[in-house]
Amino acid sequence: MYSNFLISNEVQFWLFLTAFIPSVGCSIFVLYHLISNRTQRHAINNRVIIVLISNNLIYELIDIPLFLNYYRLEAVWPNTPGLCLMWIFIDEALYSISTVVLAWASIERHILIFHNRWWSSTRRRRLIHFIPLVSLVFYIIIFHTVFILLPLCENTYDYTQELCGHKICLHNTKIVGTWDSIMNDILPTLIIVGFSIALLVRVLLQNRRVHQHIQWRKHRKMAIQLLSISILYSLLYIPIMCIVLAQLCCISQDSGDIFIQYGRFFSYYVTFLLPFVCFITLSKCSYKFKDMFPNWHRPARLIHPMPLPMMTVAAERPNIM
């Protein structure tokens, strides 16, 4: 499966490690900033970001070390079915949670910005915000628990490949494999792209209306935040989603494998880059970072010339003889 992959395991190890360490640090800092501040923690637009970053951090702390260990040893260790099931579950479930949650955020941002009256009561906030978000997360966890951790068939694992060969037996069932690819991967990605483009168009039209300029400034940060994250997902996920969709309907499974290998490898950089995109779009983060490390941003001392005190010298009168 990976014979044509031109990036060696050693290079993959260092590419992941050099991105993994700063990404974890940035994730912890962004979460600390959002959770420690009561105003930031209770802001509706930040709750999706907290879910995304938390899910992303768990993914990094469990999934990425397993990849690093595989690249270092060039084999899965310890080579047990339990480790393979856990690795595949984390990789599949947390990946789908990020994609589905961001797809919902792409829809929710339209409501937050252009229909903010819908949030006027606690009942509406629960109905529109909490219930869809919690339901989507539970759906992904239950789906992958049933079809990965509690399989009705026997899986076979290849301990010489990353993710133990990745395929599980229920993926061979066309209905399950097609549902997983379309509903958990392709459709959320299309929603992210479609609603992000729609948000950008509505933002540009809104910005041209002079009488709504003050109201728009209040929501500009939410729009920029979503668009930045959506661009990151689109650039790194769209290519692999297009190939998977083509394999489902048009081309053979083997014809796009080499492109999926490269697309899958570089799609992990969404995980590495997401905390930095969130850090940049959270304006108050940079100020808190400066407060935590004041010596890093200490302004240079300027030396100003000091005026000397004026001295009055009285001229002596010459003696006239």
Side-chain angles (χ1 to χ4, degrees):
M1 180 179 176
Y2 292 92
S3 58
N4 295 324
F5 201 45
L6 299 180
I7 305 177
S8 66
N9 286 337
E10 183 179 0
V11 174
Q12 292 180 73
F13 174 85
W14 287 109
L15 287 175
F16 268 32
L17 183 63
T18 53
F20 166 70
I21 295 174
S23 180
V24 169
C26 188
S27 297
I28 294 173
F29 175 77
V30 172
L31 273 179
Y32 169 77
H33 165 73
L34 292 175
I35 296 176
S36 63
N37 186 294
R38 189 175 185 276
T39 303
Q40 296 287 337
R41 184 173 65 250
H42 289 283
I44 292 179
N45 58 294
N46 284 337
R47 285 171 181 163
V48 170
I49 303 301
I50 292 174
V51 173
L52 278 175
I53 296 294
S54 301
N55 181 75
N56 196 76
L57 183 59
I58 296 171
Y59 187 92
E60 284 186 305
L61 293 177
I62 299 177
D63 203 58
I64 301 304
L66 291 173
F67 275 103
L68 293 173
N69 192 50
Y70 169 81
Y71 295 143
R72 183 177 63 89
L73 301 175
E74 298 187 351
V76 177
W77 186 89
N79 52 357
T80 61
L83 176 68
C84 291
L85 274 178
M86 186 270 292
W87 192 2
I88 295 172
F89 175 80
I90 293 295
D91 189 82
E92 290 277 344
L94 299 192
Y95 165 85
S96 297
I97 286 175
S98 291
T99 310
V100 169
V101 167
L102 183 59
W104 166 243
S106 303
I107 300 172
E108 189 185 50
R109 281 299 192 268
H110 285 263
I111 303 174
L112 284 170
I113 295 175
F114 301 105
H115 305 283
N116 52 6
R117 292 182 180 177
W118 293 12
W119 310 94
S120 57
S121 66
T122 304
R123 183 173 177 272
R124 288 184 178 182
R125 285 196 293 270
R126 289 176 181 173
L127 183 64
I128 300 173
H129 175 69
F130 289 105
I131 293 178
L133 185 60
V134 173
S135 300
L136 289 171
V137 172
F138 270 99
Y139 155 72
I140 293 297
I141 293 175
I142 292 171
F143 177 88
H144 288 88
T145 299
V146 171
F147 291 111
I148 295 179
L149 297 183
L150 305 172
L152 301 177
C153 52
E154 186 176 355
N155 295 311
T156 57
Y157 306 108
D158 185 352
Y159 300 112
T160 63
Q161 295 184 15
E162 63 184 42
L163 283 166
C164 305
H166 188 262
K167 294 292 183 180
I168 59 174
C169 60
L170 282 175
H171 279 173
N172 297 326
T173 306
K174 190 172 183 179
I175 296 177
V176 176
T178 303
W179 176 273
D180 186 30
S181 297
I182 293 178
M183 300 304 295
N184 299 336
D185 295 331
I186 296 174
L187 182 60
T189 305
L190 294 177
I191 290 175
I192 292 170
V193 174
F195 277 84
S196 297
I197 293 174
L199 181 64
L200 180 61
V201 172
R202 295 183 74 176
V203 161
L204 294 176
L205 294 176
Q206 183 92 342
N207 205 27
R208 292 179 61 181
R209 300 175 184 176
V210 180
H211 63 282
Q212 294 183 354
H213 181 67
I214 296 176
Q215 182 183 2
W216 160 239
R217 289 182 61 186
K218 184 173 65 174
H219 302 299
R220 181 171 54 191
K221 189 177 101 173
M222 286 191 292
I224 293 174
Q225 188 180 72
L226 173 68
L227 291 172
S228 302
I229 299 174
S230 299
I231 289 172
L232 176 65
Y233 272 75
S234 301
L235 290 176
L236 295 175
Y237 279 169
I238 285 294
I240 190 172
M241 290 298 106
C242 291
I243 297 170
V244 171
L245 183 60
Q247 286 183 336
L248 288 174
C249 65
C250 306
I251 63 176
S252 65
Q253 293 290 326
D254 298 330
S255 57
D257 277 350
I258 183 63
F259 298 103
I260 287 182
Q261 293 170 29
Y262 285 100
R264 184 175 179 81
F265 176 78
F266 288 107
S267 69
Y268 285 99
Y269 275 81
V270 172
T271 303
F272 298 138
L273 295 175
L274 177 64
F276 296 101
V277 173
C278 293
F279 174 82
I280 293 171
T281 55
L282 292 170
S283 58
K284 293 184 180 179
C285 257
S286 57
Y287 296 107
K288 182 171 284 192
F289 185 80
K290 292 178 182 179
D291 293 338
M292 291 175 63
F293 302 98
N295 292 331
W296 290 12
H297 302 276
R298 182 178 294 172
R301 294 183 178 179
L302 299 178
I303 300 176
H304 299 281
M306 296 181 62
L308 295 175
M310 298 296 296
M311 297 180 64
T312 305
V313 179
E316 295 184 0
R317 298 180 60 183
N319 293 329
I320 301 175
M321 299 298 297

